Amino acid sequence: MVNPENYCYESPLSMKKHYGAIILILLLVSIFTSCNKSLPNKEFKKGNLLYNPTIPNTLVEKTGNFLVEQHFFTDDNPTTIVLEQTKDTFLLIIVVEKLYLTDTSYDYAFRQLAQKAQINLFDKRPTFAELADRNLKIARRIR
């Protein structure tokens, strides 16, 4: 005979505490999959650096390590940045939440990142930062 006291039953009401974690996991998976537009990527801490396949691996590694040093890639916050190069111009496309696409209060930090990358990574060649949504749709260039 089965003793019902040996079984644990969670009511649907007690399961509500798990819904937040499930939603967070689904959100992170959807962000990662929507950002990956078949560009190669490398992971640095919780940051993803997507890059144009024509960029040398040594420069990709150097850029990823630079973004860790600048605290854009950390263990606390998943972040995606796309590195593009056309001729002698470099572009850092920073994927941000919708709220920050129009908020200019962080522009100084993004501009500083591009300037430091221009000096430390790209031999003073023109470097720009752009903000994009999670679908990599460019919202605006940081000036």
Side-chain angles (χ1 to χ4, degrees), residues 74-103:
T74 66
D75 286 327
D76 303 326
N77 204 13
T79 306
T80 299
I81 294 182
V82 181
L83 175 62
E84 292 282 342
Q85 179 183 9
T86 54
K87 296 184 183 179
D88 272 352
T89 302
F90 288 89
L91 182 62
L92 297 171
I93 302 170
I94 304 164
V95 178
V96 296
E97 306 238 355
K98 204 174 211 177
L99 165 76
Y100 300 110
L101 292 174
T102 55
D103 182 359

Side-chain angles (χ1 to χ4, degrees), residues 22 35 37 130 139:
I22 292 169
C35 283
K37 298 275 187 183
E130 291 184 344

Side-chain angles (χ1 to χ4, degrees), residues 126-137:
T127 305
F128 301 97
E130 291 184 344
L131 300 183
D133 65 14
R134 63 188 180 110
N135 295 317
L136 297 180
K137 182 179 177 195

